[in-house]
Amino acid sequence: MRPIDDTPLARDGKVLILAYDHGLEHGPVDFTDVPESANPEHVFDVATHPAVTSLAVQKGIAEAYYPSYEDDVNLLAKLNGTSNLWMGEYDSAVNWSVEYAKEVGAEAIGYTLYGGSNHEIEMAEEFRDVQEAAREHDMPVVMWAYPRGQGVKNDTKSDVIAYAARQALELGADVAKVKYPGSQDAMEHVVEMAARTKVIMSGGSKQSDREFLTTVKDAMDAGAAGLAVGRNVFQRENPTQILDGLEQVIFEEATVDEALEAADA
Ligand code: FBP
């Protein structure tokens, strides 16, 4: 396990990753609400908010835009990812290597593992190579721990999410990014199963400010180390406001009402 506290991925031991790989994973539909969110420059500008500890992007976006932002944004290289244009059992292509990500300026690595997919074995073996290469370059590894596929009947069940977090620990991820399992108690169990692997909550589809900040607060109170969020930030007309609120909840242990006040300021 590589402690993340002394890496750019964390601030005071807490993590706020802005995820922006949706153009690949979901396509242009995620940019419909706020058309300027299709422009990577807009999201890189958002990622300069002091609450954001890393911006997670795919290779093409990193190559094209990171050189202009390397002084202001920490880069997390999301190594694998696929479109949803194809059909079949859950799988994900590895699009760049740890070595190349390092060359482009990345300081952390992200990798999706679909535990329960018929492709889990290959994905875990690819993760082995990624994790060991990341160790060589002293880069922390975040696993998008998403149980999905034929072996998984219900990917929102708390036991399944706890299993995914445990899998992240066993395979050597420093951080497990998991879906919120529905309650604070269930999240506590997930955090317990992850042991020394830090757990962060995955943002999900857009919610109201209060709903979203309440879920993040519950996750933090359950022992989560932070959040990786995409749509709940870039699908807002004013992404800075919600980041102001998230900064309060994640780094300042503020209440939801205090965070909402900060988000309105
Ligand atoms: P969101 O906060 O928008 O859910 O982003 C997190 C993320 O993991 C992205 O990195 C990824 O593109 C997306 O969710 C995948 O969403 P899903 O596979 O659940 O549709």
Side-chain angles (χ1 to χ4, degrees):
M1 194 66 42
R2 195 226 181 282
I4 59 167
D5 294 8
D6 64 340
T7 71
L9 184 61
R11 179 179 126 198
D12 302 332
K14 304 284 167 35
V15 175
L16 201 174
I17 297 168
L18 182 59
Y20 185 58
D21 56 345
H22 303 65
L24 176 65
E25 297 283 344
H26 298 163
V29 66
D30 276 9
F31 307 135
T32 311
D33 286 2
V34 177
E36 65 181 337
S37 66
N39 179 358
E41 273 173 358
H42 168 70
V43 177
F44 270 88
D45 286 341
V46 172
T48 64
H49 189 290
V52 175
T53 59
S54 267
L55 176 67
V57 293
Q58 283 283 340
K59 178 169 74 172
I61 302 253
E63 278 183 331
Y65 295 91
Y66 192 58
S68 313
Y69 289 88
E70 57 191 10
D71 293 337
D72 304 309
V73 172
N74 294 320
L75 181 67
L76 184 153
K78 181 70 199 328
L79 289 193
N80 62 350
T82 46
S83 79
N84 66 11
L85 294 167
W86 58 288
M87 287 178 72
E89 184 62 348
Y90 283 98
D91 202 355
S92 191
V94 181
N95 303 314
W96 43 335
S97 65
V98 171
E99 290 71 21
Y100 187 60
K102 178 90 185 172
E103 231 173 87
V104 175
E107 287 166 298
I109 294 297
Y111 178 94
T112 295
L113 183 82
Y114 294 125
S117 157
N118 291 345
H119 299 295
E120 178 184 325
I121 303 302
E122 296 91 313
M123 294 189 86
E125 288 177 355
E126 282 162 10
F127 181 74
R128 172 199 63 212
D129 295 344
V130 162
Q131 193 262 6
E132 291 181 5
R135 289 285 174 266
E136 266 175 44
H137 293 282
D138 200 23
M139 296 162 92
V141 180
V142 181
M143 181 187 284
W144 273 228
Y146 286 1
R148 275 178 194 176
Q150 274 192 25
V152 180
K153 286 193 188 64
N154 183 351
D155 64 4
T156 59
K157 225 172 127 198
S158 64
D159 279 352
V160 174
I161 295 172
Y163 198 161
R166 186 71 186 195
Q167 192 174 22
L169 165 74
E170 305 267 351
L171 298 184
D174 304 304
V175 178
K177 170 182 186 297
V178 299
K179 305 276 180 191
Y180 186 65
S183 73
Q184 202 172 308
D185 282 354
M187 191 63 165
E188 273 172 25
H189 181 55
V190 172
V191 170
E192 199 186 331
M193 289 306 107
R196 285 210 180 148
T197 291
K198 304 262 188 192
V199 173
I200 59 174
M201 185 192 117
S202 192
S205 54
K206 193 173 154 198
Q207 295 177 300
S208 72
D209 289 3
R210 180 173 287 281
E211 265 177 318
F212 187 56
L213 290 168
T214 301
T215 309
V216 177
K217 176 74 181 159
D218 287 350
M220 296 304 292
D221 287 349
L227 173 72
V229 57
R231 288 164 287 178
N232 269 290
V233 170
F234 69 70
Q235 287 182 348
R236 281 178 155 78
E237 290 294 344
N238 191 338
T240 300
Q241 282 183 345
I242 192 74
L243 285 171
D244 290 342
L246 288 169
E247 182 166 32
Q248 291 302 308
V249 167
I250 294 172
F251 300 99
E252 308 296 339
E253 294 177 13
T255 63
V256 171
D257 285 331
E258 286 164 346
L260 280 166
E261 215 172 290
D264 274 338

